[in-house]
Amino acid sequence: MWLLNTETLKLQDFFGDLPPYAILSHTWADGEVSFQVIGNDVARDMPGYEKIRRSCAFARFQGYEYIWIDTCCIDKKSSAELSEAINSMYTWYSRAAVCYAFMSDVTRGSHDPAFQQFFQNSRWFSRGWTLQELLAPKHFQFYNHEWQYIGNKSSLLSLISGATGIDEMYINDPKSIYNASIGARMSWASTRRTTRTEDEAYCLLGIFDINMPLLYGEGHKAFIRLQHEIAKVSDDESLFAWHTKAMVAGPFAPDALAFRHCGDILTLSTPSTARESVREASMITNRGLRLEVRCRKLPFTSLHGHSTIDRLYSDLESSAKTYILLVLNCAHRGREDRPITIILMQKSQNQYIRFLPAEIMVFERYLMDSTDNDVEGLPQRIYIQEMEYRGGLVRPPRINLACSHTSAAGYNLKEWVISPLGSINFRNDVGRSFFILFQGWSGFTILKFEHIGGNTIIAIVKAIQQEAARSMTLYPLPPDIDNLAEAKKFCYAQRGFFRPVFDPTTSILYRDQTGIFLERSNTQNLRKNYNFILRIVQMPKKNSASSSSTPATDIQS
């Protein structure tokens, strides 16, 4: 371990027993002094030298002959030394006699009325490496941009907890962090960023007491590899309690951001019921993550009517698939009787993938309270297949639908319900022209059009991503259904209503007397928006004596 002499500003290499030393925590900027130049005169003219000089002066004044600073005490040209430093860094910070945190963007003193805002918004709280630098040392001192002392961990405890989302007990006691669940510790890093993608994983090694070789260039695979190492030594299943906006995924999260809602997760010491617990230790195999489980098996139809799972109705082609609810040995604080549950979708006999990881908690109450006959315990060995993350996420296909502006006889789109991972965006003329985006192999939205005269038309647009083309079908609802709640109930009661009964490549897909029909479709080019004409016929108001209708107008693209 290289240490910088606070008197001579020269590096000295130590093996075995170390002298007492201070350590610096800071954020990097342009002109940092490296290992190669710290002993040269040119270092004095570099912007980062003043930071080194001031921290050495503080350490020397407090009686420390040596200090460790990451910019100049690691020979980053040596891959072996860099690997040793990163794997040892948490230990080095924990062994330091004192840590100085230099917050270069905090321009207020601790007694300034604006201090709290400047302190909590400091860039220091947003960087990945400073997380372990905050948690590992026992004695901590904060300094602002002018090197004025602004407090320590104890005096700034509530502000630090508010800025980081970390419970105060973990900030105050470095040893206590290993009592926090895996998911909670991951959540501490969820809002932090690193310059190198791989460092998102490497900066967490000490937080999880993990050692692993560094492979710069592996990108997001580093974070997956970190989770592999954690799974080998821990049976804390909050490692799988992450969720992210994807259709399908493997067992491990693509990045720390997926754990952003896991800050209050606790590990359950005993499973809530013997039927749902993971019994054997997990194992990483060439077929994926192997688990010995007792879990809940249920057909797709059992999911309707339970919380946000209503939206799963978009995946109609998956109704014949087998879904499993895997109950984890963790729960949110205050809800320990409701363990967190994830959804698995079967691919082969005992091969599964994570299905809709965005829906992490929706099954809790249903799973514990259900008496449905189609739910049964299923003891078996299963494999959760790993998937390649591109850019950090599993990206399902995208289906784009577009309607262009027209008056549509006074009709505007007022309300809608859209399937998971879907969105509606308007052009400038809000309510008259819009884009619908589905991210997945199928999607649906219930659209409510309202006329300025009070008439309402509700229809369902369903789109499917096929290998060669997209298709879209429009399903009008009966005129007596005038709100989205009734429309959803009708859809669930009339499931066959959704089954395509018309060729989506014909010129006219569907038409009836409800006042809305699809006139044209284009399924030839997957790279372009799906273009269509939506014709709305103005119908008389309910209970109106008149049965006439006005001429049709188009929403056309």
Side-chain angles (χ1 to χ4, degrees):
M1 180 182 185
W2 291 96
L3 292 175
L4 189 66
N5 187 294
T6 58
E7 180 70 37
T8 65
L9 271 63
K10 300 293 184 181
L11 289 171
Q12 290 181 237
D13 197 9
F14 289 88
F15 298 93
D17 295 336
L18 298 173
Y21 62 92
I23 201 164
L24 178 67
S25 175
H26 65 111
T27 57
W28 285 42
D30 293 336
E32 296 290 356
V33 179
S34 68
F35 178 89
Q36 281 71 30
V37 301
I38 183 60
N40 302 333
D41 291 339
V42 68
R44 299 177 181 272
D45 299 325
M46 300 178 70
Y49 185 80
E50 178 64 14
K51 181 166 42 180
I52 295 175
R53 188 189 68 80
R54 294 293 293 268
S55 58
C56 284
F58 270 95
R60 188 169 62 253
F61 176 78
Q62 295 180 7
Y64 301 110
E65 188 178 356
Y66 296 98
I67 190 171
W68 189 88
I69 303 174
D70 57 355
T71 54
C72 61
C73 292
I74 304 175
D75 183 2
K76 299 176 181 64
K77 291 188 175 182
S78 168
S79 58
E81 185 166 327
L82 179 61
S83 180
E84 178 190 2
I86 289 179
N87 276 276
S88 305
M89 198 170 295
Y90 187 90
T91 300
W92 290 351
Y93 272 89
S94 67
R95 290 179 178 175
V98 63
C99 180
Y100 307 132
F102 174 59
M103 309 181 85
S104 59
D105 54 352
V106 176
T107 58
R108 298 290 191 274
S110 57
H111 299 293
D112 192 290
F115 169 72
Q116 177 177 342
Q117 179 181 356
F118 277 85
F119 180 76
Q120 291 189 314
N121 291 332
S122 173
R123 182 172 176 263
W124 189 85
F125 287 115
S126 70
R127 306 307 297 169
W129 289 105
T130 56
L131 174 60
Q132 65 176 359
E133 296 168 12
L134 167 67
L135 296 174
K138 179 64 176 177
H139 301 287
F140 213 94
Q141 299 174 7
F142 289 95
Y143 294 88
N144 68 8
H145 75 301
E146 293 182 341
W147 285 91
Q148 296 174 342
Y149 177 74
I150 54 178
N152 55 36
K153 279 189 182 182
S154 297
S155 63
L156 299 172
L157 188 59
S158 61
L159 295 184
I160 298 171
S161 180
T164 60
I166 305 174
D167 286 347
E168 293 182 1
M169 61 178 175
Y170 301 127
I171 298 172
N172 246 348
D173 183 5
K175 295 181 180 179
S176 68
I177 69 167
Y178 298 113
N179 297 327
S181 69
I182 299 295
R185 279 180 271 172
M186 285 290 190
S187 74
W188 302 342
S190 62
T191 59
R192 295 174 178 262
R193 297 293 176 266
T194 57
T195 303
R196 297 287 297 267
T197 301
E198 298 85 354
D199 285 340
E200 183 180 6
Y202 302 158
C203 72
L204 299 178
L205 295 181
I207 301 293
F208 297 101
D209 196 18
I210 293 294
N211 294 103
M212 68 183 201
L214 310 187
L215 299 173
Y216 280 105
E218 65 177 330
H220 289 279
K221 292 180 180 179
F223 195 76
I224 301 297
R225 201 157 53 88
L226 170 65
Q227 294 170 88
H228 285 182
E229 296 301 319
I230 295 173
K232 291 177 183 178
V233 298
S234 174
D235 59 359
D236 181 351
E237 292 159 19
S238 65
L239 177 63
F240 311 116
W242 55 274
H243 53 122
T244 191
K245 198 171 184 180
M247 199 74 174
V248 293
F252 299 108
D255 48 37
L257 183 62
F259 290 91
R260 62 191 178 279
H261 299 302
C262 297
D264 64 343
I265 285 182
L266 305 174
T267 302
L268 302 178
S269 56
T270 57
S272 58
T273 67
R275 296 179 64 193
E276 295 126 8
S277 62
V278 175
R279 287 304 186 188
E280 301 294 333
S282 61
M283 180 180 296
I284 308 296
T285 73
N286 59 357
R287 297 186 61 189
L289 177 68
R290 193 187 78 184
L291 299 173
E292 298 281 350
V293 300
R294 285 183 177 270
C295 48
R296 298 272 180 137
K297 177 182 178 182
L298 69 167
F300 185 79
T301 53
S302 298
L303 303 181
H304 300 318
H306 298 287
S307 186
T308 55
I309 213 62
D310 289 345
R311 296 179 296 159
L312 286 178
Y313 213 78
S314 62
D315 196 13
L316 300 176
E317 285 65 47
S318 297
S319 58
K321 296 182 181 296
T322 297
Y323 294 83
I324 281 183
L325 304 185
L326 182 60
V327 184
L328 306 178
N329 67 354
C330 57
H332 289 274
R333 183 181 293 115
R335 301 189 67 189
E336 288 83 354
D337 61 331
R338 308 284 182 184
I340 292 174
T341 306
I342 61 175
I343 318 168
L344 304 179
M345 183 175 70
Q346 190 173 31
K347 292 194 67 179
S348 59
Q349 183 176 3
N350 60 353
Q351 192 90 25
Y352 292 81
I353 55 174
R354 180 87 179 266
F355 180 66
L356 276 186
E359 308 294 339
I360 182 73
M361 301 188 316
V362 296
F363 295 108
E364 293 174 286
R365 182 170 297 277
Y366 166 59
L367 182 65
M368 304 305 297
D369 298 343
S370 174
T371 57
D372 292 359
N373 293 329
D374 59 359
V375 180
E376 60 182 16
L378 184 66
Q380 62 173 315
R381 173 179 293 179
I382 66 171
Y383 296 85
I384 307 178
Q385 179 181 328
E386 297 204 47
M387 304 189 70
E388 180 182 356
Y389 293 106
R390 297 179 180 178
L393 290 173
V394 174
R395 300 190 181 275
R398 296 165 63 94
I399 307 176
N400 300 286
L401 312 178
C403 289
S404 61
H405 166 71
T406 183
S407 62
Y411 279 95
N412 288 331
L413 177 62
K414 290 295 186 181
E415 296 180 72
W416 61 89
V417 174
I418 198 163
S419 56
L421 312 185
S423 61
I424 291 182
N425 295 303
F426 293 97
R427 294 176 179 174
N428 293 332
D429 53 334
V430 175
R432 296 181 179 180
S433 60
F434 51 90
F435 295 97
I436 303 174
L437 170 64
F438 298 117
Q439 190 155 333
W441 291 271
S442 65
F444 86 100
T445 182
I446 303 176
L447 306 175
K448 178 180 178 180
F449 295 91
E450 189 173 289
H451 190 263
I452 55 176
N455 191 41
T456 295
I457 292 177
I458 298 180
I460 297 170
V461 173
K462 178 170 181 290
I464 302 173
Q465 172 75 63
Q466 299 168 333
E467 290 187 5
R470 297 187 180 110
S471 65
M472 188 186 84
T473 310
L474 183 75
Y475 301 94
L477 294 181
D480 60 333
I481 296 179
D482 60 359
N483 63 75
L484 297 185
E486 291 181 4
K488 289 172 66 178
K489 290 180 181 178
F490 179 87
C491 294
Y492 299 143
Q494 305 289 332
R495 189 159 190 246
F497 183 84
F498 281 93
R499 295 174 184 167
V501 293
F502 297 100
D503 182 356
T505 61
T506 58
S507 59
I508 297 179
L509 296 181
Y510 194 90
R511 182 173 186 174
D512 69 359
Q513 298 303 312
T514 61
I516 187 169
F517 62 90
L518 185 69
E519 189 173 271
R520 185 186 66 191
S521 66
N522 173 14
T523 62
Q524 302 304 313
N525 194 333
L526 291 178
R527 295 183 178 275
K528 295 182 179 179
N529 287 342
Y530 185 105
N531 302 313
F532 64 93
I533 296 175
L534 193 64
R535 182 181 293 274
I536 298 179
V537 180
Q538 183 175 347
M539 303 292 288
K541 294 182 180 180
K542 293 182 180 180
N543 303 323
S544 173
S546 172
S547 60
S548 61
S549 61
T550 60
T553 55
D554 294 340
I555 298 178
Q556 180 176 351
S557 65

